[in-house]
Amino acid sequence: MRVREKPIDTRHFWHRRSLLGENISNGNWIIAGILLLSGGGALQQGWIIAAVALGVAGLLSIVWNEGVAKTTTIIGSWIVAGAASAWLLGMATNAMFGTPAAGHAAGLVIAIAGIVLTID
């Protein structure tokens, strides 16, 4: 009786399957963790809508379908970019004009425009 050897997975770490399933790659878990941590940071700053959007994107990026994971990753990335730019532009417009709402609106426009341009 021969001993059967399990083949060694030689793919990159990003594409290897995780311990929880054949179709869930390590990349899905890494992206989901980043999005969920970003959502936690947004929630801590009081940005409830961005926190909910990042949380949903983080949870959806774990799913087994690679297409859904990529789509939610792209949308979540644009939300993170918009939130970061809104925070920075809010501080800048508050220092210059005393109205941080203008910077927050500009960050929202950046996020929405990025999502729309990516989808098209």
Side-chain angles (χ1 to χ4, degrees), residues 102-119:
H104 295 162
L108 180 64
V109 168
I110 289 171
I112 290 172
I115 291 169
V116 168
L117 290 174
T118 303
I119 291 173

Side-chain angles (χ1 to χ4, degrees), residues 72-119:
T72 55
T73 300
I74 291 169
I75 291 173
S77 302
W78 276 111
I79 292 171
V80 170
S85 63
W87 178 67
L88 290 172
L89 291 171
M91 286 194 319
T93 55
N94 189 26
M96 289 187 287
F97 309 116
T99 57
H104 295 162
L108 180 64
V109 168
I110 289 171
I112 290 172
I115 291 169
V116 168
L117 290 174
T118 303
I119 291 173

Side-chain angles (χ1 to χ4, degrees), residues 29-48:
W29 288 107
I30 293 168
I31 291 169
I34 291 169
L35 290 172
L36 291 172
L37 286 173
S38 300
L43 184 63
Q44 191 267 339
Q45 293 293 325
W47 295 38
I48 304 299

Side-chain angles (χ1 to χ4, degrees), residues 2 25 70 117:
R2 275 182 23 182
S25 69
K70 288 179 182 178
L117 290 174

